[in-house]
């Protein structure tokens, strides 16, 4: 077990995304992108917005050397000792010619079934149960003793990057293909949309099928697919101009108060 959590600075800040709240907001986002970049049409990469703990993994010459939480976006906590116990995290990239530096970002989470099984085991052992999969994943990785994280059914899904040296990136889609080749779990429901209308349809489709997914999501993320266009668009304050998080409406239900 570690004595305390160390902190480390991200080479490239882990920024938050601007939020959208419906399909129409995605079309408005597209209009802003096209106007700023002065282009008639933009291709987008669409993926689920995982409801987990954002993590950055740092590989040097193909080997995992450090793992950080998002923290405040500038500085995160070092959780390398815990991340090494997550079976879906490759300790060495699956390639003979790894990049000199490869910072991959993604989400640590628990599948719904694994979460239910964990809570059942916690209950049987007379221990505290977790409120939801996100809290369980975050609590598992923020332990000083890696043996606790090793006992938890954590998964890591990769989707983004920090600083990369020794690898040329052309599109978000080809980057995710590279992640899969390197040994990472990636989204099986991600899709490249040729237009904003297709991206809006993706949002509607995932919203209607979200409960069928094996993990929790709270929306979808729409990113400009072409990396050179991402670079051209740049950033607004603390958010990229080339991406938006299209959130789902909060779930609602009715209950009857039977007695007070």
């Amino acid at each position: 077990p570690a004595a305390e959590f160390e902190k480390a600075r991200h080479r490239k800040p882990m920024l938050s995304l601007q939020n959208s709240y419906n399909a129409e907001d995605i079309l408005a986002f597209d209009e802003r992108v096209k106007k700023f970049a002065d282009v008639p049409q933009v291709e987008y990469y669409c993926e689920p917005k995982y409801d987990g703990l954002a993590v950055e993994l740092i590989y040097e010459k193909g080997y995992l050397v450090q793992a950080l939480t998002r923290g405040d976006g500038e500085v995160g906590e070092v959780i390398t000792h815990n991340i090494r116990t997550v079976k879906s995290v490759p300790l060495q990239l699956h390639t003979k010619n790894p990049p000199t530096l490869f910072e991959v970002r993604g989400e640590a989470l628990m599948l719904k079934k694994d979460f239910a099984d964990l809570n059942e085991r916690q209950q049987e052992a007379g221990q505290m149960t977790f409120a939801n999969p996100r809290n369980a994943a975050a609590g598992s990785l923020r332990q000083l003793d890696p043996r606790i994280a090793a006992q938890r059914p954590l998964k890591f899904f990769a989707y983004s990057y920090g600083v990369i040296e020794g690898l040329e990136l052309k599109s978000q889609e080809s980057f995710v293909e590279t992640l899969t080749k390197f040994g990472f779990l990636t989204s099986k429901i991600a899709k490249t949309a040729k237009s904003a209308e297709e991206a809006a349809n993706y949002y509607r489709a995932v919203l209607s099928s979200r409960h069928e997914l094996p993990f929790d999501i709270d929306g979808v993320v729409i990113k400009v697919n072409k990396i050179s266009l991402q670079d051209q668009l740049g950033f607004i304050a603390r958010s990229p101009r080339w991406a938006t998080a299209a959130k789902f409406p909060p779930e609602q239900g009715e209950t009857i108060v039977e007695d007070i």
Side-chain angles (χ1 to χ4, degrees):
E4 61 181 358
F5 278 108
E6 292 178 38
K7 293 194 175 183
R9 185 169 291 277
H10 299 288
R11 287 183 178 88
K12 183 177 174 184
M14 291 182 74
L15 303 176
S16 54
L17 298 179
Q18 299 176 75
N19 289 334
S20 304
Y21 294 96
N22 50 51
E24 290 68 36
D25 282 355
I26 294 171
L27 301 180
F29 162 74
D30 173 62
E31 288 301 322
R32 293 194 300 273
V33 168
K34 288 190 293 192
K35 184 177 179 182
F36 188 90
D38 195 20
V39 290
Q41 188 89 340
V42 177
E43 191 175 77
Y44 293 100
Y45 190 74
C46 312
E47 59 194 8
K49 186 177 182 298
Y50 300 104
D51 193 14
L53 180 73
V55 174
E56 177 176 68
L57 309 180
I58 302 167
Y59 292 81
E60 292 178 2
K61 296 178 180 176
Y63 291 91
L64 177 67
V65 295
Q66 195 173 52
L68 304 174
T69 62
R70 181 180 179 275
D72 64 2
E74 299 281 345
V75 175
E77 289 181 325
V78 178
I79 54 168
T80 318
H81 59 299
N82 289 329
I83 280 292
R84 284 182 179 279
T85 70
V86 179
K87 293 181 178 65
S88 55
V89 171
L91 301 180
Q92 182 181 359
L93 299 179
H94 299 181
T95 175
K96 291 179 181 176
N97 299 302
T100 313
L101 175 65
F102 189 74
E103 295 184 345
V104 59
R105 294 170 176 181
E107 211 90 358
L109 50 81
M110 280 186 197
L111 302 185
K112 293 173 186 175
K113 184 184 181 305
D114 291 340
F115 171 71
D117 292 345
L118 172 66
N119 261 354
E120 196 175 317
R121 291 197 301 273
Q122 292 284 108
Q123 207 162 11
E124 285 172 1
Q127 296 177 334
M128 185 185 73
T129 55
F130 295 98
N132 53 58
R134 187 187 188 283
N135 285 7
S140 300
L141 288 176
R142 295 200 71 258
Q143 299 282 342
L144 293 171
D145 188 346
R147 288 170 294 191
I148 296 173
Q151 292 166 7
R152 304 278 169 82
L154 293 163
K155 296 275 191 297
F156 176 80
F157 285 85
Y159 53 72
S160 187
Y161 57 90
V163 176
I164 293 179
E165 295 172 2
L167 180 70
E168 187 183 357
L169 302 180
K170 293 188 175 178
S171 70
Q172 199 69 38
E173 182 181 23
S174 62
F175 169 68
V176 173
E177 288 170 1
T178 300
L179 286 174
T180 307
K181 288 175 190 170
F182 282 1
F184 294 98
L185 291 178
T186 56
S187 171
K188 291 181 179 175
I189 63 164
K191 180 185 174 183
T192 301
K194 299 292 182 187
S195 65
E197 289 73 22
E198 279 190 28
N201 287 338
Y202 176 85
Y203 171 87
R204 295 185 189 101
V206 177
L207 173 59
S208 66
S209 63
R210 65 186 292 194
H211 296 297
E212 298 162 26
L213 296 174
F215 43 73
D216 284 337
I217 63 172
D218 56 2
V220 300
V221 177
I222 311 294
K223 299 174 181 174
V224 170
N225 191 34
K226 204 173 177 183
I227 301 293
S228 60
L229 187 53
Q230 288 184 10
D231 294 339
Q232 182 186 337
L233 288 161
F235 301 88
I236 311 168
R238 295 183 59 79
S239 301
R241 199 180 263 115
W242 44 265
T244 186
K247 296 283 194 76
F248 292 150
E251 293 194 82
Q252 296 180 330
E254 286 189 3
T255 186
I256 296 169
V257 178
E258 296 181 344
D259 187 28
I260 296 177

